[in-house]
Amino acid sequence: MGHDHSHDHDHGSELSEVDARVRALESILVEKGYVDPAALDVLIETYETKVGPHNGAHVVARTWSDPEFRDWMRADATAAIRSLGYFGRQGEHMVAVENTPERHNMVVCTLCSCYPWSVLGLPPVWYKSAPYRAKAVRDPRGVLADFGVTLPSGTDIRVWDSTAEVRYLVIPMRPEGTEGWSEEELARLVTRDSMIGTGLALTPGQLAEGEAA
């Protein structure tokens, strides 16, 4: 299973085999009139800049910093998230589940790949894979270990099955040492994996290390 890590890439002129195939397929579809290049550009721009985990990070940061918004998320996550401008396909009915020292939540879709696009963007490949879908239910601690997460033995792990009717957003625990941080600063600690439950929010130290690397 893959993980939510950033990597440096060589932006030279040589394309990878996958990139070359994608370019070739795109060219064929455009030439045959099946795809409008302008529409394709808008779609790509939308998912790169308007839809993605940064939306969910904003929601989590607001939940951490605003007690009234936290209460709203508990009562009606769909409406609370919509109030921040995040709604649409596969985000029609949202439920927020909060991690605590006693309980850790993790999300899976056992049937296919139901996923809250409006706050997390497109699902990662590993989320859709059969091994993850099966192991998350059978051995959630093993899945967490695969992602480098080890929880105390007394922590209860609850796995939520995302469906076509309901999709879940995990609210990770707020890291210590973030008192007085702004929403923008807090959002930088929130990772995609932490909102699925296969990871934890970054600590201030981890954030600093990542920025220095």
Side-chain angles (χ1 to χ4, degrees):
M1 292 183 291
H3 302 274
D4 186 20
H5 299 298
S6 60
H7 301 278
D8 293 328
H9 297 280
D10 181 4
H11 294 284
S13 58
E14 186 174 341
L15 294 176
S16 68
E17 182 180 352
V18 173
D19 288 337
R21 289 181 178 180
V22 171
R23 289 283 184 88
L25 178 59
E26 180 183 338
S27 297
I28 293 173
L29 293 174
V30 170
E31 289 175 5
K32 291 183 176 296
Y34 296 141
V35 173
D36 180 353
L40 188 61
D41 288 343
V42 170
L43 182 64
I44 293 173
E45 193 270 340
T46 295
Y47 277 95
E48 286 183 341
T49 64
K50 298 179 182 179
V51 179
H54 52 279
N55 291 353
H58 179 201
V59 173
V60 171
R62 177 66 62 86
T63 304
W64 282 346
S65 58
D66 185 337
E68 291 187 2
F69 188 80
R70 181 187 299 112
D71 291 341
W72 194 4
M73 284 287 287
R74 291 169 176 168
D76 187 348
T78 305
I81 292 170
R82 190 182 184 91
S83 75
L84 298 181
Y86 309 133
F87 56 90
R89 187 178 181 186
Q90 297 213 35
E92 296 89 346
H93 188 182
M94 296 291 302
V95 172
V97 289
E98 297 178 76
N99 285 348
T100 69
E102 294 76 30
R103 169 172 288 178
H104 182 88
N105 298 283
M106 189 164 67
V107 182
V108 66
C109 178
T110 57
L111 294 179
C112 50
S113 59
C114 294
Y115 192 76
W117 292 12
S118 58
V119 287
L120 295 186
L122 297 176
V125 173
W126 57 260
Y127 182 85
K128 299 181 287 185
S129 71
Y132 172 76
R133 286 155 46 195
K135 190 173 181 179
V137 175
R138 184 182 70 254
D139 181 19
R141 282 189 181 275
V143 170
L144 290 173
D146 291 340
F147 281 83
V149 177
T150 301
L151 299 176
S153 59
T155 302
D156 175 52
I157 301 177
R158 181 163 185 181
V159 179
W160 300 84
D161 193 357
S162 183
T163 69
E165 289 74 34
V166 181
R167 291 173 179 83
Y168 299 92
L169 177 69
V170 174
I171 307 298
M173 288 193 295
R174 178 172 176 168
E176 296 181 358
T178 59
E179 295 77 10
W181 283 35
S182 67
E183 282 187 25
E184 290 75 16
E185 292 171 320
L186 290 171
R188 291 158 60 200
L189 300 173
V190 185
T191 66
R192 179 198 63 200
D193 287 7
S194 72
M195 293 182 283
I196 298 173
T198 53
L200 307 176
L202 300 176
T203 66
Q206 289 172 323
L207 179 63
E209 290 175 3
E211 292 179 340

